[in-house]
Amino acid sequence: MSQWTEGGAGQTALPYPYYVDIVTKRYFDGVDNKNMDKVLDCFHDDAVLTEVTSSTVHNGKAAIKAMFVKLFADFNDIWHGNFVLTADPQTNAVCSQFTVLITPAGSDTELRYENCNRFYLKGDKFQRVYVYMSGDNLLKEGDL
């Protein structure tokens, strides 16, 4: 593959079920079960995750891991579901709309979000992820 560009030409198309699997069965299942290895295995080392609605950028797998360490500590229960996915194999990209139910640590109050993520893959892993949240940013910077 020549120089990678987000959504650019020359991507290696993967089978549609692969996109569904990496987004729902690996990434979000890993988040919901607080399985850090499963989550991080979806990302390249130099991947970038951006929470767009607050302009929070996590550069590289170490920063993404720190963000998830904080998220997992700050919230007891996390659930993602009601997925609507659209994949574009020609640009190796996936758009996913979904519901998030999340309970802050020390609270019985469940928060509900309706979010949308845009995933750009380089080969078979995430290189860029854009998160659009319907409420306050839950993906804060963690300690590196």
Side-chain angles (χ1 to χ4, degrees), residues 32-106:
D32 291 351
N33 290 291
K34 299 183 179 183
N35 182 333
M36 186 68 75
D37 291 338
K38 191 173 187 178
V39 171
L40 293 179
D41 188 51
C42 296
F43 291 89
H44 284 284
D45 289 341
D46 61 344
V48 178
L49 187 149
T50 302
E51 199 285 325
V52 178
T53 49
S54 70
S55 299
T56 302
V57 179
H58 306 282
N59 284 300
K61 195 183 273 190
I64 292 168
K65 179 180 181 178
M67 183 259 317
F68 277 114
V69 166
K70 180 166 181 41
L71 181 77
F72 294 168
D74 288 349
F75 296 92
N76 290 335
D77 298 310
I78 305 170
W79 177 86
H80 295 82
N82 302 327
F83 294 104
V84 177
L85 282 92
T86 303
D88 179 7
Q90 297 308 309
T91 60
N92 219 9
V94 182
C95 185
S96 177
Q97 292 178 273
F98 52 92
T99 301
V100 181
L101 301 177
I102 192 162
T103 306

Side-chain angles (χ1 to χ4, degrees), residues 25 78 124:
K25 294 179 175 54
I78 305 170
D124 63 351

Side-chain angles (χ1 to χ4, degrees), residues 27-28 49-56 67 98 115-119 129-134 137 139:
Y27 175 69
F28 282 121
L49 187 149
T50 302
E51 199 285 325
V52 178
T53 49
S54 70
S55 299
T56 302
M67 183 259 317
F98 52 92
N115 292 357
C116 180
N117 286 10
R118 182 78 172 170
F119 301 90
V129 177
Y130 296 94
V131 178
Y132 299 84
M133 288 194 174
S134 64
N137 176 21
L139 304 178

